Amino acid sequence: MTTPTAAPLGVMKAAFESLTREMAVDLRRAAFSSIVREARDFAVALTDDRGAVVAQAECIPIMTAGISLALQQALERIDPSTLTPDDALLLNDPFAGGQHLQDIYLFSPIHIDGTLIGFAATTAHHVDIGGAYAGLSADATEIYQEGLRLPVAPFSVSRDWGPNGFVRNIIANNVRVADMVIGDLEAQFAANATASKRLREMVDRYGLSRTLEAMDELQDYAERRFRAAITRIPAGVYTAVETMDGHPWGLGELEIRATVTVDGDRISVDFTGSAEQVVGNVNCPFASTVSAVQSAIRCMLEDREIPFNEGCNRPITVNAPYGSILNPRSPAAVRARLTPASRVFNTVVRALSEAIPSRSVATGYDTTTAFAISHLAHQTGRYQVVMEILGGGWGACGDHDGADALDNPISNCANAPVESLETDYNHFTIVEYAVVGGSGGEGRHRGGQGIRRVYEATRDGVKVAGYADRHRVGAAGYEHGSSGGTGRFAITRVNGDVERLDCVFSRTLDVGDRIEIVTGGGGGYGPAAERAPDALHSDLLDGFSG
C-alpha cells in the first residue's frame, strides 16, 4: 500500500463521480438486452456503509433517486455487520423499497481490512421477470401476476450465483429469456466489481480515514447547497393538479394533487386528495413517488451544480396517503408506475413554477410509452422478447422550444436504434419511425414533437402489449400556450381492418399485421401570436407545422 496523501474535497468528489461513471460504462457494455444496452435503462451508485448515496452516474433519475430508499430499507431487515465480501443483496419488491419488479437492485458490500465501508449499487430494467405475459403484463390486477418477486436477503455469490447456484437458477427458471436476464445481472455484478476495485484504489492513495471522511463531507456539502438553493424560493404553499387516464379500469380521469410547502430551507410535498389505488397495473409504490418528487425539485432549483447524493434528500419530506395510487397497499399491481410518477413530477414542477416564474415550463408529454413485442417459437420452445420505451415531446419554456422525441425527464431512456433491433430479432421489422409534425402545442415557444413508430410482424403469433397515457387529453400549455397532441395505439391487420386500442392493451399479431405507436407532444409556452416569424418559417421547413 502506498503512503496516503491528503486530498481536498473537490478531488475526492471527482474521484467518486469518475468511479460511478465507469460503473455505468461497464454495465452498458456488458449488457445483453437492448433495453439496457441501447435504451440505457439502468442506474449505478456508490453508497456509504449506512446505504446513503455518495455519488451516482447520470442515468435514470427515478431509479437512482430510489437507491438509498431501497438499500436503507434492506439494511433495516438485515444486520450489515454480518455481511462478508462474498455476499450480495438482490431486491425488486415494490413494497420493501423497490419500484417495480422489472427493476432489480443489486448491492455488493465493499470491505477494507475486514471493515464494511460502503456498497456498490446497480439497478437495471430486466426485459422479462416472468408473470402472465412476456415482458409486460398489461392486464395484471395484482403483483403476483406481474412476475418474480425478490425479497431482500444476503446470499453467497460463490455458492449461490455459479452455474448451479440456487439464486441464479431460481431467477433463470422463472423468466422466458434467461440468457438476457442472467446476462444483464452479470453486467450488474461486473459494474459493482468495478466500484469495489476503484474504491480500494482510492483508499490506497488517500487513506481509509480520508476516504470515509470525504463520503460524509460530500453529503453534508450537497445538503448545505441544496438548502441554500431552497431559501431562494419564496416561502409559501403552492398547489397543482394533474390527471391521468383511468378508463382502462372503468374509471374516469384520475387526479394527482400536490401541495408543496416551502419553509425556509425545507420543502414538504403532500399528496392528500390524490386518487385511490386502482385494480390495475398503474399504481405507484411510495419509493417511486419520493424519487419523482426529488427529481422535480432538483430540476426547479437555480443552482445546477449541486452534487447529487443523499444530502440533497435530507431537506425534502413527502407524504402520500397509504392506499392511494401513490402509496398502494400490497398486493397492488405496479408495472406502469411511471405513469402516476410522471404526474407527480408534473404537479411539483407546476406548483413551483408559481413560486419561481423564471423556472416555469409547460407540461411535457411526460408519459412512458412502454411496448413489449414477443414471440415463442413452438418448435424450439425459445422466446424472443423486446421491451421498448418511447418518448414524446417536452414542454416549452420561456427561453426556447420544447425538445422533440425524448423520453420523459424522470425516465431518460435513450432511443433503441432500428438497425440494432432488427439485427438481434427476427419476429418483427420496423417499417416507419418519424417525428409527428404539429404534435407540439403552439405558443411563443412551441412544445416538442412526438413520434410515430410502426412495427410489422414477420411471424404468426407475435404478442404485443403496452401502456401509456395522454391518449385523451394532451399535455397542458403555459401562459396561454396550446396543449400538446395526444398519443395513440392502433393495429392494421393484413386484410386492412384497423383497430384503435386503449392506452393499456395486449393483442396478438400474425404475419403482415402492423401496430402503430404514436406519442404526443409537449405544451406550448406563451401566446402563439407572439411566435417569431423566423421560427414559424423553420417549423414549416421542418414539417413541424400543424
Side-chain angles (χ1 to χ4, degrees), residues 356-414:
I356 327 168
S358 63
R359 303 289 297 170
S360 62
V361 60
T363 303
Y365 182 65
D366 294 350
T367 288
T368 292
T369 298
F371 174 62
I373 180 166
S374 62
H375 182 255
L376 171 62
H378 292 286
Q379 290 182 335
T380 63
R382 292 185 63 83
Y383 267 97
Q384 294 186 92
V385 183
V386 176
M387 193 72 231
E388 288 266 69
I389 304 294
L390 304 176
W394 282 27
C397 67
D399 296 329
H400 55 75
D401 294 345
D404 304 316
L406 280 181
D407 194 11
N408 70 73
I410 60 173
S411 180
N412 195 39
C413 287

Side-chain angles (χ1 to χ4, degrees), residues 112-145:
I112 300 290
D113 297 330
T115 300
L116 176 68
I117 66 167
F119 291 85
T122 56
T123 180
H125 183 116
H126 290 267
V127 68
D128 187 74
I129 196 67
Y133 297 96
L136 169 57
S137 297
D139 302 322
T141 59
E142 57 183 10
I143 196 169
Y144 306 114
Q145 299 164 346

Side-chain angles (χ1 to χ4, degrees), residues 19-323:
L19 177 158
T20 57
R21 289 181 182 134
E22 187 177 356
M23 290 175 70
V25 170
D26 288 353
L27 199 163
R28 185 188 175 205
R29 287 179 172 174
F32 279 50
S33 70
S34 61
I35 194 167
V36 178
R37 186 185 69 244
E38 303 292 350
R40 308 180 197 182
D41 197 347
F42 66 86
V44 302
L46 175 72
T47 83
D48 61 21
D49 63 331
R50 302 178 299 277
V53 167
V54 173
Q56 60 190 48
E58 300 84 353
C59 299
I60 305 299
I62 197 165
M63 280 185 172
T64 316
I67 282 177
S68 291
L69 293 170
L71 182 51
Q72 287 169 2
Q73 287 200 38
L75 295 180
E76 291 175 1
R77 292 168 169 80
I78 64 175
D79 182 356
S81 67
T82 65
L83 296 173
T84 74
D86 183 49
D87 287 331
L89 307 172
L90 284 173
L91 167 67
N92 74 344
D93 188 348
F95 302 104
Q99 300 209 14
H100 65 180
L101 296 182
Q102 285 70 26
D103 293 343
I104 300 179
Y105 289 94
L106 174 66
F107 303 114
S108 301
I110 302 173
H111 292 78
I112 300 290
D113 297 330
T115 300
L116 176 68
I117 66 167
F119 291 85
T122 56
T123 180
H125 183 116
H126 290 267
V127 68
D128 187 74
I129 196 67
Y133 297 96
L136 169 57
S137 297
D139 302 322
T141 59
E142 57 183 10
I143 196 169
Y144 306 114
Q145 299 164 346
E146 295 192 301
L148 184 64
R149 189 172 168 187
L150 301 171
V152 64
F155 66 93
S156 164
V157 176
S158 61
R159 182 191 64 209
D160 297 325
W161 192 253
N164 297 314
F166 179 75
V167 173
R168 181 189 185 111
N169 285 316
I170 278 287
I171 296 173
N173 289 336
N174 282 278
V175 300
R176 294 172 178 85
V177 282
D179 54 340
M180 294 283 182
V181 175
I182 298 301
D184 286 349
L185 280 167
E186 291 282 15
Q188 289 183 244
F189 273 109
N192 284 6
T194 294
S196 180
K197 178 181 178 182
R198 297 303 183 216
L199 188 58
R200 291 172 184 275
E201 291 173 353
M202 288 183 64
V203 170
D204 285 346
R205 183 169 186 176
Y206 303 118
L208 179 58
S209 176
R210 179 61 188 131
T211 302
L212 295 179
E213 287 173 359
M215 286 182 170
D216 290 336
E217 289 173 3
L218 275 172
Q219 294 176 61
D220 293 342
Y221 171 71
E223 180 183 2
R224 290 194 300 273
R225 287 190 60 170
F226 207 90
R227 289 186 183 277
I230 292 172
T231 62
R232 293 195 283 271
I233 303 174
V237 179
Y238 308 96
T239 61
V241 180
E242 275 279 350
T243 62
M244 48 181 283
D245 190 356
H247 289 86
W249 306 280
L251 304 169
E253 295 297 312
L254 303 172
E255 289 190 342
I256 305 298
R257 292 182 168 271
T259 300
V260 180
T261 302
V262 180
D263 181 11
D265 63 357
R266 297 174 296 168
I267 290 182
S268 64
V269 183
D270 188 354
F271 292 99
T272 298
S274 296
E276 296 295 305
Q277 69 184 71
V278 173
V279 183
N281 73 346
V282 75
N283 300 290
C284 184
F286 187 62
S288 294
T289 298
V290 174
S291 296
V293 169
Q294 293 168 347
S295 298
I297 292 173
R298 185 175 177 86
C299 285
M300 293 301 289
L301 298 182
E302 293 182 358
D303 188 342
R304 313 305 298 159
E305 303 299 327
I306 304 173
F308 199 173
N309 58 44
E310 184 63 13
C312 300
N313 301 332
R314 295 171 184 166
I316 301 171
T317 57
V318 180
N319 175 65
Y322 187 56

